[in-house]
Amino acid sequence: MHAARDTRAVRHTVETLTEEIGRIVAERQELRAAGAGQAELEENRRRLADAQNRLSHLLIERHLRHAGAA
């Protein structure tokens, strides 16, 4: 398993966050298959929820920009 990365300081796009979510989900599947402990799974879950939250905000921002331009 690889170490957790703090990507909050990185300015993501919808596309890069979607990729990051895919990596976190794949990591979660690997953790489960390896019989990871609850603490590892919880840390992964928190990173996944954070990334999904940031993606939601970016999608809202994108939608509002496009709606304002119309």
Side-chain angles (χ1 to χ4, degrees), residues 28-67:
R28 184 169 190 80
Q29 292 170 340
E30 292 172 11
L31 287 168
R32 286 186 175 276
Q38 189 170 353
E40 287 179 286
L41 289 169
E42 177 62 13
E43 187 275 332
N44 175 273
R45 184 199 66 77
R46 288 177 189 249
R47 286 192 299 118
L48 180 57
D50 179 61
Q52 290 171 329
N53 182 52
R54 289 182 288 143
L55 177 61
S56 295
H57 285 273
L58 284 177
L59 287 168
I60 291 167
E61 287 175 19
R62 181 181 279 184
H63 174 74
L64 290 176
R65 276 195 312 268
H66 288 146

